[in-house]
Amino acid sequence: MADPDDNGTMLPTESREYLLVLGIAQGTVSVLSVLGCLLIITTYLAFKEIRTAAVARHLIFCLAIADLVIAVAGILGVAVIAFYDVEDLERSDVEPVGLCKAQAALMVFGTNSAILWTIALAVYMFVVVVLKKPAFAKKLVYLFHAVCWTVPLGLMTWLAIVNYLGYEYGLCFIDADGTSNATALASSGGSSGEEGPENEEDRIHYAAVIGYELWLCVAFVVLPLLYVSIYCYVRVKVSRRWPRAQSRNVHHVAVQNADSKLLSVPLVFMVLLVWSLIEDIFIFHLSEESYRRSTFSAVMGILVSVGFFGQGLANSILFCVLTKSVREKILDKCLCCCFRD
């Protein structure tokens, strides 16, 4: 069990009850997301009609791979909570366990890649629907691959080299407290150069911002702008070409032609990850110590965890369960396999 804080009270996020609830929620959502991501990936590879239907389906396939990495990281996180003592994970004189570092590395790569692929999907839809340049949009896919895989890989490698990956409040991610770096400095026999702890703390916070928070904020600015632009463009086009009595039905068809499931991706993304953004806002406006002592931090911790690891599950429901054509193909394939004999 973790030690109490300086005032003699245990933080809500360090109690065994909280860690048990967190582990159950995180493990359940992560396993379901793994299955959901594998379903998206399998249907994309198994059915040629889905692969050739639209380039956007390829972007969903890539997003599913990123979500799969996040879900695997969530399963590793459950193992960290189950097999290691929180007290040891939070001590500054103990090097973070390899399993925790592995989860943190996968989290950095997976979350940033998922954010970038979601933005890429929005840009693709904007270019196709609003700018009406599908050929140019197809060429952008190569740029999307270059950015959405290499940038997260570079961030993960950099954070691992500077030793900023570690445990913090129920999750192995970017160690904003500097526990991992403090351990590295101690093992090397001192600090680097003449830089004091304040400079080191500033670098750690900058690393947390560059490693995740910056990309999340960019997504919450860019995604609403692009998708509101798409929606308004479709609505204006319909209202100009059709009488008011028919505009509503025609608008509905136009949105369906733009693929309403693809338009739902950013909404699902923002609903799931808005909790992480809200938590960052609270920590920014309040002192982190005051925030961590409140029961609200424990509730937010559960919501943040479910949001992190539930993206694959949500997208699989959108594209495999709620999409009629894909659902029928999956059912037909299952029935053929069951009654083959």
Side-chain angles (χ1 to χ4, degrees):
M1 183 176 293
D3 288 338
D5 62 8
D6 295 337
N7 293 333
T9 58
M10 181 177 296
L11 296 176
T13 54
E14 294 178 345
S15 65
R16 289 190 182 277
E17 292 79 9
Y18 168 78
L19 293 175
L20 177 62
V21 174
L22 178 66
I24 293 174
Q26 180 174 316
T28 302
V29 174
S30 298
V31 171
L32 292 176
S33 286
V34 167
L35 297 176
C37 291
L38 291 177
L39 183 60
I40 294 176
I41 294 171
T42 302
T43 53
Y44 179 83
L45 296 176
F47 302 114
K48 183 178 179 180
E49 298 88 346
I50 297 177
R51 292 197 306 272
T52 58
V55 177
R57 298 294 173 176
H58 176 73
L59 303 182
I60 295 298
F61 168 75
C62 296
L63 178 59
I65 295 176
D67 290 337
L68 179 61
V69 174
I70 300 173
V72 171
I75 296 175
L76 292 180
V78 175
V80 171
I81 296 174
F83 297 114
Y84 296 96
D85 195 337
V86 176
E87 178 185 356
D88 292 335
L89 292 172
E90 292 185 336
R91 286 172 57 186
S92 61
D93 59 338
V94 177
E95 181 75 13
V97 295
L99 196 60
C100 183
K101 284 193 170 184
Q103 184 201 6
L106 292 177
M107 282 292 295
V108 171
F109 178 80
T111 52
N112 286 300
S113 183
I115 290 172
L116 292 175
W117 276 115
T118 305
I119 296 175
L121 179 61
V123 172
Y124 174 84
M125 293 292 292
F126 181 83
V127 173
V128 171
V129 176
V130 179
L131 301 184
K132 295 183 179 180
K133 294 182 178 180
F136 177 68
K138 288 183 179 180
K139 295 179 181 179
L140 285 177
V141 174
Y142 299 102
L143 178 63
F144 293 157
H145 277 285
V147 173
C148 298
W149 297 128
T150 58
V151 171
L153 182 62
L155 290 172
M156 180 191 69
T157 304
W158 169 60
L159 290 170
I161 291 174
V162 298
N163 210 37
Y164 286 157
L165 300 177
Y167 180 87
E168 185 186 22
Y169 303 110
L171 181 67
C172 292
F173 197 26
I174 301 174
D175 185 11
D177 286 340
T179 300
S180 304
N181 194 261
T183 305
L185 291 175
S187 62
S188 63
S191 60
S192 57
E194 298 178 355
E195 296 176 344
E198 292 185 358
N199 292 330
E200 179 61 30
E201 183 179 353
D202 289 341
R203 286 209 309 271
I204 294 169
H205 286 298
Y206 289 146
V209 170
I210 297 173
Y212 168 68
E213 295 168 358
L214 172 64
W215 308 102
L216 183 64
C217 292
V218 169
F220 271 83
V221 172
V222 173
L223 291 177
L225 290 176
L226 290 176
Y227 277 86
V228 168
S229 299
I230 295 171
Y231 182 85
C232 292
Y233 175 83
V234 173
R235 191 170 185 84
V236 168
K237 281 292 184 181
V238 169
S239 63
R240 288 179 178 177
R241 294 184 180 182
W242 297 88
R244 290 186 178 181
Q246 301 177 5
S247 62
R248 182 172 298 180
N249 292 332
V250 176
H251 176 258
H252 177 69
V253 173
V255 172
Q256 282 188 329
N257 291 337
D259 201 328
S260 59
K261 302 300 186 303
L262 294 174
L263 296 175
S264 301
V265 170
L267 177 62
V268 171
F269 173 86
M270 288 186 287
V271 169
L272 290 176
L273 291 188
V274 69
W275 309 109
S276 178
L277 189 63
I278 292 174
E279 184 180 49
D280 290 337
I281 292 173
F282 272 102
I283 293 175
F284 179 77
H285 286 284
L286 302 173
S287 66
E288 183 166 357
E289 183 180 1
S290 300
Y291 174 76
R292 295 302 179 186
R293 286 177 181 173
S294 64
T295 306
F296 180 70
S297 66
V299 177
M300 288 299 299
I302 300 294
L303 293 174
V304 169
S305 180
V306 172
F308 266 136
F309 306 112
Q311 299 174 65
L313 173 61
N315 288 333
S316 67
I317 293 174
L318 277 176
F319 293 100
C320 295
V321 179
L322 299 181
T323 303
K324 184 179 179 181
S325 60
V326 178
R327 183 175 67 246
E328 290 177 347
K329 289 181 182 297
I330 295 174
L331 291 176
D332 291 342
K333 196 71 173 181
C334 292
L335 290 175
C336 290
C337 293
C338 292
F339 297 101
R340 180 176 297 176
D341 297 335

